[in-house]
Structures are given as structure tokens and as C-alpha cells.
Amino acid sequence: MSAVPARWGKVTMALRWSPEWPTAVVVALAWVVLVAGLGGHGAEVQSGHEHHHHAHGGLVAALPGWSLMTVAMMLPITLPAVRHVGLNSIRRRRQWAMALFAGAYVAVWIAFGLVVIAGYRLVGASLMLDDRTLLTLALALAATWQLTRAKRRAVLACKRTVPLPPVGWQADLGCVRFAVAQALRCVRSCWALMFVMAVVGHASPVWMAVLAGLIWVEELTVAGRRLLRRFAAVLGIMALLVAVGV
Amino acid sequence: MTWMDWESQGGVLTSGPGVSSWSSGRLDVFVRGTDSALWHKWYENGWSDWESLGGVLTSGPAAVAWDQGRIDVFARGTDSALWHKWYENGWSDWESLGGVLTSEPAVCSWGTGRLDVFARGTDSALWHKWYENGWSDWESLGGVLLSGPGAVSWGPGRIDAFVEGTDAALWHIVYENGWSGWESLGGVLTSSPGAASWSSGRLDVFAAGTDSALWHKWYENGWSGWESLGGTLVSAPAAVSWGPDRIDCFAAGTDSALWHRWWETTAPTELYVRRDAWTLAASDPFDPITLAYANAVKVMQARPTTDPTSWTYQAAVHGAFPAPPPGATWNACQHATWFFFPWHRMYVYYWERIVRKAVLDAGGPADFALPYWNYDQAFPRNTLPPAYRTPTLPDGSANPLFLDAPRRSAAMMAGGQLPPNATSSAAAMALTNFSSPPQPTSFGGGVSAPIQFGASPGQLEITPHNIVHGIVGGLTAGQCQGGLMSSVRCAALDPIFWLHHSNIDRLWNDWIALGGGRVNPADAAWLTQSFVFHDENGAEVTLTGADVVDTAAQLGYIYDNAPSRSVMAIVASQPPIEPPPEPSQPPELAAATEKPLELVGTTVTVSLTLPSSSRAMVDDAAADASRRLLISVEDIEGENNPGLGYAVYVDTPGATDDTTRERRHIGNVSFFGIELMNDPDQPHDGAPGMRHVFDATAAVDALREQNRWEPEQVAVTFEPITALPPPGEELAPQATAITPGEPIHIGRVGLFVV
């Protein structure tokens, strides 16, 4: 009879040390929705088929899917920052601060999504590129970006924190400033990989899982920064495979 | 303790070996010869020749000894059955134990009269047969094996079996009151595993890797990573232990001969004494030890950078600007992590051996040991020892221990004193926990993977280690054109670095000697973490945390004042220490500054206004002896180490009374390594922005005792720590000028309750 309360006590304690757990739950839900195919249609690549629906699909219509994908793929890499916000906020505003941070972070990624989706549709339509060529180019671009010093610096900066004032509107502003700074740095780090996802579309859980795996390892582990070249090789091989139609 | 080099035992093997040991100093090795017969060779005060034991084997043999004078050997016969032969006052004939084997067998014994044999069956599963007053039937333990098994017992009722799974990883199954499930231990094997155990709770597993080298993984309170032991194997390895800290490994080499490599304890034959540099120099700045050190430095500095025993190579192991040559382990230092102490102990130990060899090559002294600089003493011992401020040696030649400004602080070179708040280790020594979390502060650093700069420095690392680095070095500039000691990538080029770290190492010993619950980590991750260095012959050597916890027994040196009386006296004057309770929740923010601040070499005071919602919590915590108040200094950023630190005080706004100032000093902010935080090529955990956490409970107590504690507002003062002039003297203006270089930014100062 005493085992259950003891177990709950441990769970409660673990949750106290991990105040970001609600955000992790949101991430998990996003994955469930996407894997279950409930996230709407993406701009699926139909390998080998030329099609031009990029130019016709509504930008706004693509946003919910992109947003869901952003939550699933990019919110996890900022969980340590959400935790940082939680552990460094006054108790009465802790939940609000974390929510504000996560919302502002995702908003930046959504804005980025608008630009990227519009951009790639414009490029694809104007250059009459088929999806396979676009995807090959996107993967090659992502592989190249992995090798730059700017990428390494951005990965390092993704863990950077911004001072958080304790109370008042300054505290809210601090949270938003931290979120925007985090998001902009993570965009700098991961824009090329997410550009690949913009081409592939959010209805491709396998692509999402593979790229999310790369992003999480390089962003969340110390060893990840040393693996950037290997990941570039992986992306390069993927570009080749797509180019030859595998 | 070390792995000896590979040695050949000759023979022409057509299988992997099997090995047993019935007592300390006895080894029995079995192999299949070119005639498919069993061949035997043994070691007892020297190696025997090979002897044939006949039979026709279709696999490598396995062997075990359950007692002195008894050996049981197993192999697969031409009928694919298991065959058995044993030695007890002479060799038996072969007997068949049936079964259909598709691999060589493995055998272990947990006591007299007990045998457990394992092999792969026709279904590729692991099969087991045992002997205890008679042979059992075969039983399947499941799994899918790519090759033969390995097995060992560390005591009665315990068996550990290892196999190569279909994913080429090592898999493990345990018998202890029944068989466990299979557990993957990772790796990529290209051979069957071999296993040994020298005591209960210890396992050593060996296998060939994809590079055909021998790889090793061990268990002691947890599994280690894989360690390469080199060589080129053409068979599976076999391993046995005849006692604690001894393992013998055998395998066939590319010449088909039997090769042998073993691990043994090489107890230090000498006990060296590291002495106080100022005591040594009491009558002569260039006492024999210091003079020998200076001459050895000259010898090492003359060696080419590519020589692992050269001055520049050794300094680069700590940190360097140039890219390392292929295969070199440079930029390997460990800071702001719980590996800070063991890594630096190993580093200084092997460096001392290199210096000692140079000293002995030059004729001695034979008892040379690295001195230490205990700066936590009264003038003049808190100044640089005189040999480090004298430009020439007694023979008139240039003194390599001397470094002029700007490579060392002008103030220190002019005889300046290190101030007491920079040198005191009392606050760190008062802590009883080696690592953190769950405690917010620790003696030895935060738990982490190996990392050059982690996120959580221990208190001794901050003060005196980091602060002394900065004050002795002064302002950094370029690539080792400024203060060497202030820069991680230049520090070990300064000969005083080694005396500083000898002192830090001494303080680790002192901390343990204080008792009161002060112990090194028992975690496998700390004990089994290995680091690579070079010894005095330039050979690559490896040590783990467990290898360096006892300097006298394991490394052969002690300190002349073990333990340090001054520190003992300080800590003894404090209230009795009780281990702090583990906090049930993370520290809770009570107040913080609203704006960042800059430190530019002057005293700065910031005020933390407590919101009404926090005041009761802080007041309660201040009155509760079981709770603590913490001051965190967060998001510390800067381009370079400014060559000074800042003492942090808790005050009440506008306070001028200094009678409790010493008690209100809660710690120092230091910047050693800050330049690496902006370097994307350097591994560190913190990303731009250091964080220091200090326990302010005693400071608040002092304020409360004087009725000066105001829970509405807390002031935190940052006061520069720089070298003091010698008593009764003044330092030259150029030596005292604070040139902090780029400002240091502090994002926030917070008050937490735990």
C-alpha cells in the first residue's frame, strides 16, 4: 500500500526538477498528431514527378502543418532553455514565463516558415524545378551549411542564455527577448535542415524523424558539435540518393 | 597499474586460446596446434615449453581451474560434440559430453566441484550444461549468437556470460538466483568475447574490434566504455585473473603465435615527497630541488614540439592555440567538471615523471619531487618564490623559471602578495560533498561527461585555483603574448603553473583527510573514466579516476604537510559539519537584479529588491538552519580573462560597518577559461556565459546577528581582487594599475532559496 505514494513522491520530485515537462508533453502530442497523419497535407515530394502545386497551394494553408512540425522538431532543442526559464523565474510567474518563452520561440519559427515556404515555392516555380531536384539541392545546401564556422558558432549559441529580470513587464520582456534570441540563433543553426523539411513537407514522419534526430544530437549533446562533419556526410549521401532516384 | 606490452609466447596456433589459473602466479594456456591436437603451456616462475595433450579438436579450447591442482579443458570434437579432459595429479583421457556445438565452448567455475559450460547450438542460441555431482542436460538460454560465448564467475551462485549478438555488439546475460534477460553492452565485435574477474563485483571483457585490435570493457559499480589495448588479433582472446588487479590476456597474432598482454599493479617503489617551495628556498632561492627543476625546464624547452616529453607539447596537453599534430591529445584539460581534480592529478603526475627523468639524467637530486606553492600563508609565502622572480641562475645563465611582464603579472613579479581572499580554501574545504547536483555547490565540480570546460566549477576550483591563475598571470593578450597563467591555452607554459597545481592537488588530499563525510565519488562514471597522457619515455599511458585516489599507494608521492595545518585549523574552528540534506526541489528564485552590469576593475554594488511574494520565503529560510540562501552570478561573459577576480560580498544597502566583512565574503568570481566560452571549436557545456553559485547563508546570519538584515533588499558588492604590495611598501604605479581589458558582463545576480 505504501509503494504507490512513494512512487508518486519520486515522480513529483522529478517533475519539480524538470519544470519544462508540460512543454515536453506538447512536443509529444505534436509527434502523435503528425505520425497519425492528422496534421493536414504537406507539400509531399513525389519523387520523379514534376508538379507545380507549390505555386498554387495557399501559404496560409501550409502554416498549421509547418507550425506543428516546428513544435515537434524544434521545440525539443529549446527544452533546456524552457527549463532555464522555469528554474530562474519567481514561483508565481513560472508557468507563465515558460509559456511565454515557448510561444515566442515557436512564433519566430513560424515566421521563418512563412519566408521559407514562400521562397522555395517561388524558386521552384520560377526555375521550373521538379521536387526531386529541389530536394537534392536542399540536402546539398544543408550538407554544406553543416561545414561552416557559422553553423558551429550557431550551435554553440543555441545554448546561450539571456538575463531574466525577476518581475513585472521587464520579466515578460526578458522572456520574449530570450526566446527570440534563442529562436534566431537556432534558425541560424538549423535553417538549412528545416528548408529540407519545407520541401519534403510535414506529412513525412520518416524525414522528420531522421532530420530531427540529427538536429537533436548536434544541439543537445556536447559530442554533437564534433559530429557536424559526419552529419554533413550523411546529408550529402542523402542528396546523392535522392538525385539518383533511390 | 598498467597494461604491459604484448609479448610473444611462440607456437603455431590454429585456434584461439583458452586459459586458466589455479593460484596467484600460475597460468595454464591451451591451444589447438597445426595437428589439431590440444597443446598446453604454463607459467609458474617462468614459462614452460609447449606440450601436446592429444585429441582432435575442431574448435579452440576453453579451460578453468576450480581449485589448486585442478584444470578442466573443453573443446569441440570431430563429431561436433563437447569433449572434456581434466588434470588432477595427471591428465585424464578425453570424455564426450554430447551435444552439437557450432562454436568453441566457454567455461567458468564458481567453486570446487562446479563447472558451467556454454556453447552455441545449431539454432545459434546459447546452450548451457553444468557439473555439480554429475553432469546436467543441455539447457537453452536463447539469444542469437554470431560466434562463441565467453563466461566467468565472480563468486558462488554468480555467472556472467557474454556473446556477440547478430548486431555484432556485446550481449550479456547473468545468472544469480535464475537467469536474467539479455542486455546489450554495445561495441562492434569481430570475435568471440573472453571474460575474467578478479573479485566479486568486477568483470573484464575482451574481444577483437573492427580494427582487429584487442578491446576491453569492464564493470565495477557500472560499465566502463570500450578501451583499445592495441595489437592485431587473428583469433578470439582469452582472459583470466589470478588475483586482484591482475589480468592476463592471450590471443593468436598475425604470425599465428600466441601473444600475451597483462595488467598488473606496479606498486610505487619509491615514495617521493612534494615540499613547500618556500620552505625549500628558506636559505637559498636556488635550493637543489628548485635548481634541478630550472635545469630540467631548460632541457624540456629545448626538445621539439613533436616530442611528447617537450615543454610545449606538455603545455599543449592542457591547452594550446596551434592545431595538434596527428594523434596528439591536446586541449584535454578538464575544468568546471568533477574530472577537474583527477585529470590534473594525472597530468601533473606524468609531467613530474618527465621532469624527474631529466633531473636524474643530469645527476639528480635522486629524491626530486615537484614542489608546491602554498600561497595561503603570511608574507612572504604569499608572494612568488624568489627563484621565479630572479632573471638568472646562479651560474649566470638565463633562468627559465623567470617570466617578465606581460607574461606574468607585473605586480606579482614586483613582489606583490596574493590577498587572503584569493588564496583561502576554507570555504571549499568546509563543503562535504565532492560533486553537484543535488547540492547546488560542491568541492570538486559538477557531474558531467569529460569536457574541457563544463558548466559547474567546484568551489576549490574557483578559489584559490582560478583566482590565483588570473592574478599571477595578469591580463591576457594575443596567443600567449600576455599573461600566460590567465589563459587556459598558455597557462602550463609558465613553470609556476606546476607548483600551483601541485598545491591544488595537495588540497584535494587535505580535503579527504578532514573526514566528516568527505569522500571521492563512488560513481563508476568517475572511477572508470580514463584519460591519456605520456610518460617519461614518451609512451602513451592511461589512468582512470580509480587509479589516482591514493597518491602514496598508487602514484608514489605524498606532501610534506599532510594534511595542511592551516586549513585544518580554519575548518576546525567552524561548527561541526553535518552532511547537508538532499534538497527535495531545485533552488527557488527569490529576487534578482533587473539590469545587467559591467565589471571594469572597480568596485560595483548591485541591489536586489525582493518582491513581496518572496519576502516571507527568504525570511523563513534565513531563520531556518536547515535551509540555505544562495547568490548566483549568471551569464558572465567576456572576451578575455582580465587578469583579476572579484570578491563577492553580501551587504545591506548603504552599510559602512566593516566588522563582519570577512563573514560576508561569500566567494569570488573568476574568469579562467572565459575566452574559450566564445570559441565554437572548443568543447564546453556552458555556452557563452559562466555561472557561479555561492552559499550566502553565513553572510546573512552575520547580518541578522547585527540586526542589519533587511529582507526587502539585499546588496551584493563586487570588489576587484588584485595583488597587494609587500608590507610597508608600495608597488610601482605600472604594477598596480588595473588594466581589465575588455569589460566583463554579468547578466544577472540572483538570490535563491533552497
Side-chain angles (χ1 to χ4, degrees):
Chain A
M1 290 296 285
S2 62
V4 173
R7 197 176 304 145
W8 273 113
K10 281 185 181 174
V11 170
T12 310
M13 192 185 289
L15 291 179
R16 276 196 210 129
W17 282 92
S18 304
E20 75 280 18
W21 67 266
T23 313
V25 170
V26 171
V27 169
L29 288 175
W31 276 100
V32 168
V33 170
L34 286 163
V35 171
L38 303 175
H41 299 292
E44 300 90 349
V45 169
Q46 295 164 19
S47 192
H49 296 268
E50 275 199 31
H51 70 111
H52 309 289
H53 77 258
H54 340 79
H56 308 306
L59 207 54
V60 176
L63 269 188
W66 171 269
S67 305
L68 208 53
M69 189 168 70
T70 297
V71 169
M73 293 180 69
M74 302 312 299
L75 205 48
I77 62 173
T78 204
L79 282 176
V82 177
R83 181 168 191 265
H84 176 84
V85 170
L87 294 179
N88 288 281
S89 295
I90 302 266
R91 184 191 297 179
R92 65 180 163 83
R93 48 168 286 109
R94 186 172 298 152
Q95 299 302 328
W96 164 246
M98 288 190 291
L100 191 62
F101 175 91
Y105 176 86
V106 171
V108 173
W109 271 106
I110 290 173
F112 170 75
L114 274 173
V115 173
V116 165
I117 295 170
Y120 108 81
R121 288 184 179 188
L122 195 67
V123 170
S126 58
L127 299 180
M128 298 297 286
L129 296 176
D130 63 281
D131 280 331
R132 186 197 291 172
T133 308
L134 257 181
L135 183 55
T136 304
L137 289 174
L139 284 165
L141 186 64
T144 308
W145 183 247
Q146 292 290 112
L147 301 173
T148 62
R149 188 175 170 86
K151 165 77 182 188
R152 287 203 304 279
R153 190 166 276 277
V155 170
L156 179 73
C158 268
K159 293 169 190 161
R160 190 179 199 142
T161 55
V162 164
L164 299 169
V167 289
W169 63 268
Q170 296 95 332
D172 291 343
L173 186 64
C175 271
V176 172
R177 207 171 52 217
F178 182 26
V180 170
Q182 272 279 325
L184 289 178
R185 288 180 185 125
C186 293
V187 164
R188 219 165 53 233
S189 171
C190 305
W191 67 270
L193 288 166
M194 289 306 279
F195 181 66
V196 173
M197 285 311 303
V199 176
V200 173
H202 66 270
S204 310
V206 174
W207 277 95
M208 277 180 55
V210 170
L211 295 189
L214 293 187
I215 292 169
W216 296 351
V217 169
E218 68 187 25
E219 297 283 343
L220 293 176
T221 67
V222 175
R225 220 180 312 155
R226 299 179 201 132
L227 297 174
L228 293 180
R229 288 184 180 180
R230 292 188 191 180
F231 289 172
V234 170
L235 292 165
I237 291 167
M238 288 166 74
L240 278 175
L241 293 175
V242 170
V244 299
V246 175
Chain B
M1 286 173 287
T2 187
W3 283 101
M4 297 300 164
D5 280 342
W6 286 101
E7 68 168 15
S8 175
Q9 289 298 333
V12 184
L13 281 61
T14 59
S15 77
V19 59
S20 66
S21 171
W22 72 45
S23 67
S24 177
R26 171 79 188 202
L27 294 169
D28 290 88
V29 191
F30 302 87
V31 303
R32 188 178 69 164
T34 51
D35 56 357
S36 295
L38 180 68
W39 286 78
H40 175 216
K41 183 173 184 141
W42 66 95
Y43 175 86
E44 195 167 322
N45 301 317
W47 282 100
S48 73
D49 285 334
W50 287 101
E51 71 165 352
S52 174
L53 296 176
V56 183
L57 280 58
T58 60
S59 78
V64 71
W66 76 37
D67 204 352
Q68 187 136 10
R70 168 83 187 204
I71 308 170
D72 290 83
V73 186
F74 299 85
R76 188 176 65 169
T78 51
D79 56 358
S80 295
L82 179 69
W83 287 77
H84 176 212
K85 189 180 181 81
W86 64 95
Y87 176 87
E88 196 166 337
N89 302 318
W91 283 102
S92 73
D93 287 335
W94 286 99
E95 73 164 351
S96 173
L97 296 175
V100 183
L101 280 60
T102 60
S103 77
E104 73 277 12
V107 61
C108 66
S109 170
W110 73 47
T112 304
R114 172 80 189 200
L115 295 168
D116 290 86
V117 189
F118 301 84
R120 185 176 66 171
T122 51
D123 57 357
S124 295
L126 180 66
W127 287 78
H128 174 216
K129 189 181 181 80
W130 65 97
Y131 176 87
E132 195 166 321
N133 303 317
W135 281 102
S136 73
D137 286 336
W138 286 99
E139 72 165 351
S140 173
L141 298 176
V144 185
L145 282 61
L146 268 193
S147 59
V152 70
S153 169
W154 76 38
R158 170 82 184 204
I159 303 168
D160 290 83
F162 301 87
V163 305
E164 179 188 8
T166 51
D167 55 357
L170 181 69
W171 287 77
H172 177 214
I173 191 168
V174 179
Y175 178 84
E176 200 163 14
N177 302 317
W179 286 100
S180 71
W182 288 97
E183 161 197 38
S184 173
L185 297 176
V188 184
L189 280 59
T190 58
S191 77
S192 305
S197 172
W198 73 52
S199 67
S200 176
R202 172 77 190 200
L203 295 168
D204 290 88
V205 192
F206 302 85
T210 51
D211 54 358
S212 298
L214 180 66
W215 286 79
H216 175 214
K217 188 180 181 85
W218 65 98
Y219 177 87
E220 197 167 310
N221 299 317
W223 283 102
S224 71
W226 286 97
E227 163 192 48
S228 175
L229 298 178
T232 307
L233 279 60
V234 297
S235 78
V240 72
S241 169
W242 75 41
D245 285 319
R246 172 79 189 206
I247 309 167
D248 289 83
C249 275
F250 297 86
T254 50
D255 56 357
S256 296
L258 179 70
W259 285 81
H260 175 211
R261 187 162 201 200
W262 70 101
W263 168 267
E264 70 175 16
T265 303
T266 46
T269 52
E270 303 276 351
L271 189 62
Y272 295 96
V273 181
R274 291 185 181 174
R275 295 186 172 85
D276 186 320
W278 269 97
T279 304
L280 285 169
S283 56
D284 179 2
F286 289 99
D287 62 278
I289 295 289
T290 304
L291 186 59
Y293 176 37
N295 287 323
V297 172
K298 274 188 181 177
V299 170
M300 289 175 68
Q301 286 177 341
R303 292 173 183 161
T305 302
T306 50
D307 180 346
T309 66
S310 70
W311 189 256
T312 43
Y313 190 106
Q314 281 294 310
V317 171
H318 189 269
F321 280 99
T329 312
W330 286 9
N331 294 306
C333 61
Q334 302 286 303
H335 294 91
T337 159
W338 64 343
F339 295 120
F340 169 76
F341 282 108
W343 187 88
H344 282 87
R345 174 167 285 176
M346 297 171 197
Y347 179 43
V348 174
Y349 167 69
Y350 278 115
W351 175 89
E352 182 186 44
R353 283 173 50 159
I354 293 169
V355 174
R356 183 178 295 126
K357 183 168 189 299
V359 167
L360 295 179
D361 288 347
D367 65 344
F368 176 86
L370 173 66
Y372 63 89
W373 176 25
N374 180 8
Y375 26 66
D376 191 15
Q377 300 183 87
F379 181 83
R381 292 178 177 239
N382 57 356
T383 66
L384 279 168
Y388 297 78
R389 287 183 271 139
T390 307
T392 53
L393 294 177
D395 65 3
S397 63
N399 175 11
L401 307 182
F402 175 87
L403 286 176
D404 209 348
R407 290 183 299 162
R408 253 190 224 145
S409 150
M412 291 302 296
M413 290 303 285
Q417 306 177 71
L418 289 171
N421 58 5
T423 58
S424 173
S425 56
M429 302 301 259
L431 293 168
T432 56
N433 56 306
F434 186 94
S435 59
S436 60
Q439 303 300 337
T441 58
S442 68
F443 172 76
V447 174
S448 78
I451 190 165
Q452 196 179 14
F453 263 87
S456 181
Q459 293 299 307
L460 195 88
E461 183 181 344
I462 297 173
T463 306
H465 170 263
N466 285 358
I467 296 289
V468 168
H469 262 286
I471 298 178
V472 171
L475 185 62
T476 59
Q479 297 191 355
C480 304
Q481 276 98 44
L484 299 184
M485 279 281 279
S486 304
S487 166
V488 175
R489 287 177 277 197
C490 315
L493 289 167
D494 187 335
I496 200 68
F497 168 95
W498 304 94
L499 278 69
H500 174 38
H501 270 281
S502 182
N503 190 49
I504 295 297
D505 186 69
R506 178 184 68 88
L507 291 170
W508 181 17
N509 271 0
D510 284 356
W511 183 76
I512 294 288
L514 284 172
R518 294 170 179 82
V519 291
N520 290 323
D523 311 64
W526 189 86
L527 290 168
T528 62
Q529 180 60 53
S530 59
F531 294 102
V532 177
F533 300 91
H534 286 88
D535 68 9
E536 64 275 25
N537 301 313
E540 203 167 276
V541 283
T542 301
L543 284 176
T544 66
D547 294 335
V548 298
V549 291
D550 185 339
T551 61
Q554 294 173 306
L555 304 176
Y557 70 85
I558 55 171
Y559 290 93
D560 64 353
N561 76 325
S564 157
R565 285 195 190 85
S566 60
V567 173
M568 291 282 281
I570 291 167
V571 176
S573 69
Q574 295 177 347
I577 298 160
E578 285 195 17
E582 283 199 8
S584 61
Q585 58 185 35
E588 180 151 355
L589 180 68
T593 51
E594 293 179 0
K595 290 179 183 168
L597 65 139
E598 281 192 350
L599 300 178
V600 290
T602 54
T603 298
V604 176
T605 297
V606 293
S607 187
L608 285 68
T609 304
L610 274 75
S612 54
S613 63
S614 297
R615 285 174 198 165
M617 174 177 70
V618 172
D619 232 12
D620 289 349
D624 183 346
S626 69
R627 302 184 70 187
R628 284 182 290 162
L629 296 168
L630 307 172
I631 292 290
S632 68
V633 182
E634 306 163 18
D635 298 307
I636 308 168
E637 294 187 23
E639 286 298 318
N640 284 303
N641 188 344
L644 74 164
Y646 289 85
V648 186
Y649 296 87
V650 170
D651 281 312
T652 47
T656 53
D657 180 7
D658 262 358
T659 55
T660 61
R661 191 144 176 82
E662 198 173 319
R663 287 181 65 190
R664 287 186 284 107
H665 174 226
I666 58 172
N668 302 321
V669 178
S670 62
F671 312 108
F672 188 62
I674 201 165
E675 70 276 14
L676 295 183
M677 292 295 185
N678 291 316
D679 188 340
D681 296 319
Q682 294 297 323
H684 59 79
D685 207 12
M690 294 173 158
R691 182 176 179 130
H692 286 1
V693 178
F694 305 106
D695 192 335
T697 312
V700 172
D701 284 348
L703 290 171
R704 282 167 55 85
E705 284 168 18
Q706 296 191 319
N707 293 321
R708 290 169 51 196
W709 169 242
E710 294 177 18
E712 296 81 19
Q713 211 157 40
V714 177
V716 178
T717 298
F718 296 86
E719 190 175 275
I721 308 174
T722 54
L724 303 172
E729 293 180 32
E730 284 189 6
L731 291 169
Q734 65 270 25
T736 54
I738 296 175
T739 50
E742 297 292 322
I744 295 292
H745 301 272
I746 292 180
R748 189 176 87 163
V749 180
L751 172 65
F752 286 80
V753 174
V754 66

